[in-house]
Amino acid sequence: MRGGGLKSCFTNSKKYDFQRWFLIRNGQLLYMKRNNGNSMNDSSQQQSSYSVMISDLRLCTIRPSNDNDRRFVFEIISPNSSHLLQADSQIECDQWINSLQLAITNLFKSSDNGNANSFASLPRMFSDDRPNTFLTAKVEIKQQMIKDKIEYVRSLTGNEKCCDCDADEPEWASINLGILLCVNCGGAHRGLGVSLSKVRSLHMDTWDLETLIVMSELGNTVVNSIYEAHLSNDMKKPNAETDALTRRSYIEAKYVQKAFLRSLPASNQMRSSTRTIKRWSVMKSSISTANTGNENDDDTSHTLKVNNRQLLTRRLTAPSDNDTTTDNPPAIWNMNIYLYEGARHRNVPMMLHALALGADKNFFNEHDHGRTPLIQTILSRSIAAAEFLLTNNAKVNLADEDGRTPLHYATPLANKGRGPIILLLKRGADPLLKDHNGIDACSLSMTIGDPDVITWYRLIALHEQMKQEDADAEKTYISILDDPVYMKEIARTPSFS
C-alpha cells in the first residue's frame, strides 16, 4: 500500500515539527523519519523498518483540526494519545482523512466477517474517487433497507387506510403507537402531544430501522383491536370527510380517555395465550395462505390472533434451549405485570395494551430481582420490544436491585447477537455505569472478547473524556453503529411476529 509524507506537529503535550513518511498497514498507522536526500520512492527507504504510531485504528477518531497557526492539519484521537498531522495541501489533507476513515470502516467489516487479520480491502492512498464511491454505496444500502421496510409496513393488513378515519393511502405515522394516519388525523395526533403520540411523515422525515421494526410488529388492525375493542354505536367513527372538531373529539376519546379500550385480561387467560409463544419461535413465511384455527373470545387471545393475521403468514419452528423460559404464574397480577410478561414474551401488541391501560414503562419488579420491562426485552433479545419501550420514553440506564443496567445484561449475550447492544448504545446506554459489585459493561466486554463491542465501549469512554474539554463533542461512534453491516444485525434479532 502506498503511503505519504506528513509533518508531525503535536503528540499529547509534546510539539514537533519534522517531516515523516506515514503508512496505513494491517490496521495500524506506521511512520518513519524522512531521510534527507532520498526520494520518497527510494526502494531502500521502502524496505526500512517502521515504528507504530497507532496500534489499532478502530479505536481512533479522525477529524479536521481547527489550528489557527497551521493549514491542512487533521487530528487522530486514540484512547491514550492525540496526534496532529499536517499535509502539504487541502486536497491531500482531505485524502488522508478519507483514507483513514475508510480504513477504520473496513477494519470493522473485516472483524464482523470473522476475518479480523485480513486487511486486503484497505484503501489505496490518495485515490480521488474510491472513498467517496464507497461511502456513497453505504448510504445507498442503508437507504434501500429503510425504503424496503417502509414498504413492508405499508403492506400490513389495515395499513392501506388511516387508522382513525379509514382514509385511503395514509402518509403519516405515529411511531410509538405503531399506526399509519392520514394528514388530517396526523394533525389531530400532533395536538395530543408527544407523550401520547409521536407523529412522523413516511417520506419527509428520517427513519431508523429500529423504529420501522416496531411498526412492523403492530399496524392499524392490531392497534384498533386494542383501542377500538368496545367501540359502540353511540360513537361513530369519523371518515375522510369528517370535520376537524368531530375528528379531534373522536381521537381524544380513543387515545386520551381510552373510552373503547380492551380491558385487562385475567392472569389465567394471559398465561394460556402466551404459552405457545414461549415454546416456539415465530417466523415469517412467504406462503400466502394458512389455517388460522378456531378463535376464542378472551381479550388477549383476540389481540394475539389479530397480530398473527398480518399480510404474511407465520409458521412455527422449534426453538433452541436458550429460547425457552419457565412459565411460572405471577405472584401478583396487574397492568405492570402484564407489561412485564409481554416484554418477556417479545409481544409488542401486549406491551402496547399494557401501556394503554396505564402500566409503568419503568416498572421495578420486586418479585424478580428488581428487573424492569426493558431488561426483560434484552433477555429475550427482542429489538422490537426494547425499541418500543424506548420510543415510549423508558429509561435506558435504569438498573435492577443489584445495580445492573440493561447494557449489563446485553453484553454477555453478544455471542447470541449484538443487535440489543447496538440499540442500547444508540439510545444513550452508558457502558461505564458500575453495578453494586463495581463492574461496568466495559469490563464485561473484555470477558466476552468481542473486538467490536470492546471498541464501541472504548469509543464511548473516549467521547466522555472529550466532553470534558468540549461539551459539544461529536458522537463519532453513532456513525459506526449506523453502518449497514450492523443494521443487518438489528434486523436479524428475534421477534414475536
Side-chain angles (χ1 to χ4, degrees):
M1 179 181 294
R2 291 174 58 190
L6 292 170
K7 184 176 291 186
S8 181
C9 307
F10 178 89
T11 300
N12 285 357
S13 60
K14 299 180 180 180
K15 291 187 177 181
Y16 302 96
D17 195 18
F18 33 73
Q19 192 84 3
R20 288 175 170 172
W21 181 268
F22 286 83
L23 182 69
I24 301 174
R25 186 172 66 192
N26 293 346
Q28 298 177 326
L29 181 64
L30 310 177
Y31 72 91
M32 181 177 62
K33 289 185 179 180
R34 190 172 181 177
N35 294 329
N36 294 328
N38 286 344
S39 168
M40 281 295 185
N41 295 321
D42 192 319
S43 60
S44 63
Q45 182 179 358
Q46 298 296 329
Q47 296 174 1
S48 301
S49 61
Y50 286 87
S51 298
V52 177
M53 174 173 279
I54 302 294
S55 60
D56 190 344
L57 284 170
R58 293 179 302 173
L59 305 181
C60 296
T61 299
I62 315 297
R63 67 182 186 184
S65 175
N66 297 322
D67 192 324
N68 295 326
D69 299 327
R70 296 179 177 89
R71 296 187 299 167
F72 322 135
V73 175
F74 63 94
E75 186 174 12
I76 304 176
I77 303 173
S78 71
N80 300 317
S81 61
S82 176
H83 306 274
L84 287 178
L85 300 175
Q86 184 178 23
D88 293 332
S89 68
Q90 187 60 52
I91 293 176
E92 191 173 314
C93 179
D94 293 339
Q95 289 174 336
W96 269 105
I97 292 173
N98 287 337
S99 295
L100 285 164
Q101 290 175 338
L102 187 54
I104 293 170
T105 299
N106 283 341
L107 284 167
F108 277 111
K109 291 186 66 176
S110 297
S111 297
D112 187 70
N113 293 329
N115 192 16
N117 295 320
S118 175
F119 303 106
S121 60
L122 287 175
R124 293 180 61 83
M125 288 300 301
F126 307 125
S127 170
D128 291 334
D129 56 355
R130 285 189 62 187
N132 288 335
T133 301
F134 183 79
L135 294 175
T136 300
K138 287 206 306 179
V139 171
E140 290 176 351
I141 292 172
K142 179 179 177 180
Q143 289 176 343
Q144 188 61 46
M145 291 176 68
I146 297 297
K147 181 180 178 180
D148 291 345
K149 200 66 175 177
I150 288 176
E151 291 308 310
Y152 176 78
V153 170
R154 283 180 176 277
S155 74
L156 294 177
T157 302
N159 280 7
E160 71 278 2
K161 294 182 179 292
C162 174
C163 186
D164 293 335
C165 75
D166 291 334
D168 293 330
E169 299 180 357
E171 294 295 326
W172 295 81
S174 173
I175 62 173
N176 61 311
L177 294 172
I179 57 177
L180 298 190
L181 302 163
C182 69
V183 62
N184 292 325
C185 290
H189 273 255
R190 287 187 185 278
L192 300 179
V194 294
S195 61
L196 292 177
S197 185
K198 299 178 180 180
V199 180
R200 186 174 295 179
S201 169
L202 288 178
H203 295 294
M204 293 184 289
D205 289 321
T206 302
W207 286 82
D208 291 328
L209 181 62
E210 302 91 330
T211 304
L212 290 166
I213 289 175
V214 175
M215 298 287 296
S216 301
E217 294 288 310
L218 294 168
N220 293 357
T221 299
V222 172
V223 173
N224 278 341
S225 73
I226 296 171
Y227 275 92
E228 294 182 353
H230 300 297
L231 183 62
S232 65
N233 295 330
D234 297 335
M235 175 60 78
K236 185 178 179 181
K237 188 170 181 175
N239 56 45
E241 305 302 325
T242 300
D243 64 88
L245 182 60
T246 303
R247 186 188 305 270
R248 175 67 182 265
S249 297
Y250 173 81
I251 288 174
E252 287 185 350
K254 180 177 178 179
Y255 298 103
V256 180
Q257 301 163 17
K258 316 286 179 61
F260 326 120
L261 187 66
R262 187 175 297 279
S263 57
L264 177 70
S267 59
N268 62 334
Q269 293 175 331
M270 189 284 303
R271 290 199 302 277
S272 65
S273 299
T274 57
R275 216 168 271 137
T276 300
I277 302 168
K278 170 186 68 67
R279 290 197 296 262
W280 300 92
S281 296
V282 185
M283 300 178 63
K284 292 171 184 171
S285 171
S286 59
I287 302 173
S288 59
T289 59
N291 296 323
T292 56
N294 296 326
E295 298 184 13
N296 58 44
D297 294 328
D298 71 74
D299 291 347
T300 304
S301 293
H302 177 74
T303 300
L304 300 183
K305 290 185 181 294
V306 169
N307 187 45
N308 284 336
R309 291 199 303 268
Q310 296 293 351
L311 182 67
L312 297 180
T313 306
R314 275 70 167 171
R315 60 182 172 84
L316 296 177
T317 58
S320 66
D321 293 338
N322 294 327
D323 288 331
T324 58
T325 54
T326 304
D327 192 15
N328 296 321
I332 57 175
W333 182 243
N334 54 36
M335 59 193 72
N336 289 330
I337 297 297
Y338 186 40
L339 173 64
Y340 196 77
E341 290 297 302
R344 186 162 70 99
H345 292 292
R346 309 170 184 160
N347 192 326
V348 179
M350 184 186 294
M351 296 166 67
L352 174 73
H353 188 197
L355 290 186
L357 290 166
D360 180 4
K361 51 189 168 289
N362 295 312
F363 168 61
F364 185 89
N365 191 351
E366 60 184 12
H367 299 283
D368 189 16
H369 309 287
R371 291 172 178 166
T372 65
L374 183 58
I375 289 174
Q376 279 299 310
T377 66
I378 298 304
L379 290 173
S380 66
R381 309 196 313 280
S382 173
I383 289 293
E387 174 66 5
F388 173 75
L389 288 173
L390 293 169
T391 301
N392 283 282
N393 303 318
K395 296 179 180 179
V396 69
N397 289 314
L398 190 61
D400 65 9
E401 64 183 20
D402 297 318
R404 300 180 67 198
T405 68
L407 198 58
H408 278 91
Y409 284 91
T411 302
L413 298 175
N415 61 332
K416 299 178 182 178
R418 301 179 297 185
I421 294 176
I422 295 170
L423 173 67
L424 291 173
L425 293 180
K426 291 177 68 175
R427 300 296 178 256
D430 187 351
L432 302 179
L433 291 177
K434 299 183 184 297
D435 64 15
H436 295 339
N437 293 320
I439 299 174
D440 57 26
C442 201
S443 301
L444 291 174
S445 70
M446 303 300 294
T447 303
I448 64 171
D450 187 308
D452 285 352
V453 175
I454 294 171
T455 300
W456 299 336
Y457 291 176
R458 287 181 175 176
L459 286 174
I460 294 174
L462 174 62
H463 176 258
E464 292 302 316
Q465 295 177 9
M466 292 171 59
K467 281 172 57 179
Q468 297 177 5
E469 299 179 1
D470 181 6
D472 297 324
E474 183 180 359
K475 294 182 178 181
T476 54
Y477 60 89
I478 294 295
S479 61
I480 295 175
L481 297 174
D482 271 334
D483 189 283
V485 172
Y486 301 125
M487 289 176 64
K488 291 178 181 178
E489 290 204 37
I490 287 178
R492 288 196 297 265
T493 54
S495 64
F496 170 77
S497 62

